[in-house]
Amino acid sequence: MKYHSEITPRGFSISKEEAEKSDLLLHLGLTNACFAIVNGESNQVKMIADVNVKADSESALRDLVQEFNYLTFNYQTVKISFDTFNFTFVPQSLYENSMIPEYGKLVHSPDTDFIIINRIPAAALVNVIAARRSFHKALQDMFYQPKIYGQVSPFLNGARRASQANAFYNVFVGVKPSAFEISIVKEDGLVFYNLFEFHGAEELNYFLLVVLKNFELTPRNSFLTLLGNIDENDHLFAIFKKYFRQVIFADSSLMINLPQSLRNISTHKYYSLLSLQLCD
């Protein structure tokens, strides 16, 4: 294998005929890529994988699909998300297609020249994302009729599905190897979302504390759900326990069927990936 990877079950293979009855979910992170193949009829996960590759360039994508050639099969549905800091939100009630060039000015950076629009009905928002046209085209060329999202869509759809009815503020934090995303949800909708890059526990603690203070979140009025690359033995977990009385890990079985062969993996790690199933 060219890349370090965790694939469950080991030795997985799929035929082109099976792929046509399955869905492919793929997330391209800042330092890794993860993907899952799901039975289209039973909504049961067939396999799940985490690959240590920064698939943010056309050459890295080519290497990824060469290593795992079954990713290019003609799946029933292909949904791809990618991490980006170049995004903004427009309220659904105010969004107009004619304004896309103006929205684009809010998120463009020197290396982006293409706008992606993701509607998120669960949050009553439209997510405007800037990307490289060449990167978007590579995704379109390498994968079969992909639906492409920023990381926001699956994260917020998953957060909405897992919100606790008895909490005044539902806080969701997804921990990545070098960043974390956080959303705050109330019964009447989304309050806040952002993606923060951090280097070490002190920076994570700083950004988290800024958010908590800005929204006056306390252990009494908030409920934390964790997902991504974190568990109870992680040194970062102690930071979250310091600020929240109620902390749980996201439960992927809320939205997808997990076979017995996958029950031994930490499914909260893949919660955002599997939440692609909730995206339109």
Side-chain angles (χ1 to χ4, degrees):
M1 286 238 170
K2 182 173 182 178
Y3 303 111
H4 172 71
S5 58
E6 297 177 6
I7 301 175
T8 307
R10 287 270 173 203
F12 173 82
S13 64
I14 186 171
S15 68
K16 292 183 178 181
E17 291 73 23
E18 290 176 303
E20 291 176 356
K21 301 176 183 178
S22 304
D23 300 330
L24 171 64
L25 311 177
L26 170 65
H27 177 70
L28 306 173
L30 299 172
T31 61
N32 72 316
C34 55
F35 53 88
I37 295 174
V38 182
N39 184 296
E41 294 181 358
S42 65
N43 198 36
Q44 184 175 83
V45 179
K46 291 184 172 184
M47 68 84 66
I48 202 158
D50 186 5
V51 183
N52 185 23
V53 56
K54 187 177 181 180
D56 63 346
S57 67
E58 292 82 337
S59 61
L61 280 172
R62 282 193 291 272
D63 288 344
L64 182 68
V65 299
Q66 185 174 358
E67 183 80 17
F68 305 98
N69 67 307
Y70 52 78
L71 293 177
T72 63
F73 290 174
N74 293 1
Y75 290 90
Q76 179 176 270
T77 304
V78 177
K79 294 182 179 181
I80 302 173
S81 61
F82 65 98
D83 285 340
T84 177
F85 294 96
N86 300 316
F87 67 87
T88 191
F89 296 111
V90 179
Q92 192 171 272
S93 59
L94 300 178
Y95 175 80
E96 296 180 18
N97 282 330
S98 61
M99 292 292 291
I100 290 178
E102 296 303 311
Y103 303 146
K105 294 177 183 178
L106 301 174
V107 292
H108 268 312
S109 64
D111 63 340
T112 60
D113 57 357
F114 187 77
I115 294 296
I116 299 171
I117 300 296
N118 292 160
R119 297 178 183 273
I120 313 177
L125 292 171
V126 176
N127 187 205
V128 181
I129 304 155
R132 297 193 317 277
R133 187 181 300 273
S134 58
F135 179 70
H136 185 268
K137 185 177 186 302
L139 294 176
Q140 295 280 0
D141 291 344
M142 293 182 196
F143 300 95
Y144 181 68
Q145 298 180 357
K147 298 178 180 179
I148 301 171
Y149 308 87
Q151 82 282 349
V152 178
S153 288
F155 189 84
L156 293 186
N157 277 294
R160 195 66 179 174
R161 175 66 63 93
S163 292
Q164 303 291 318
N166 60 342
F168 189 73
Y169 287 110
N170 277 281
V171 182
F172 294 85
V173 173
V175 179
K176 303 170 184 286
S178 60
F180 75 97
E181 54 189 326
I182 180 171
S183 69
I184 303 172
V185 179
K186 288 178 67 175
E187 188 175 342
D188 55 354
L190 181 70
V191 176
F192 175 79
Y193 171 88
N194 209 348
L195 175 67
F196 295 97
E197 188 171 14
F198 71 93
H199 302 90
E202 288 187 5
E203 281 194 7
L204 183 148
N205 185 79
Y206 170 77
F207 289 124
L208 180 62
L209 196 55
V210 167
V211 173
L212 298 182
K213 286 186 174 180
N214 281 347
F215 294 96
E216 299 181 342
L217 299 186
T218 70
R220 291 173 178 252
N221 68 9
S222 55
F223 189 105
L224 174 64
T225 301
L226 288 173
L227 51 143
N229 292 64
I230 189 169
D231 58 41
E232 291 182 346
N233 298 316
D234 194 302
H235 68 287
L236 298 178
F237 183 76
I239 295 175
F240 296 106
K241 282 292 290 183
K242 182 168 61 174
Y243 299 118
F244 295 91
R245 181 180 300 166
Q246 302 180 84
V247 181
I248 64 169
F249 290 98
D251 181 3
S252 296
S253 66
L254 290 172
M255 59 188 163
I256 207 161
N257 296 322
L258 297 169
Q260 196 63 40
S261 60
L262 295 179
R263 295 290 169 87
N264 61 334
I265 66 172
S266 300
T267 58
H268 68 272
K269 177 179 179 180
Y270 301 103
Y271 188 85
S272 204
L273 167 71
L274 298 175
S275 292
L276 275 168
Q277 283 292 72
L278 305 177
C279 297
D280 293 329

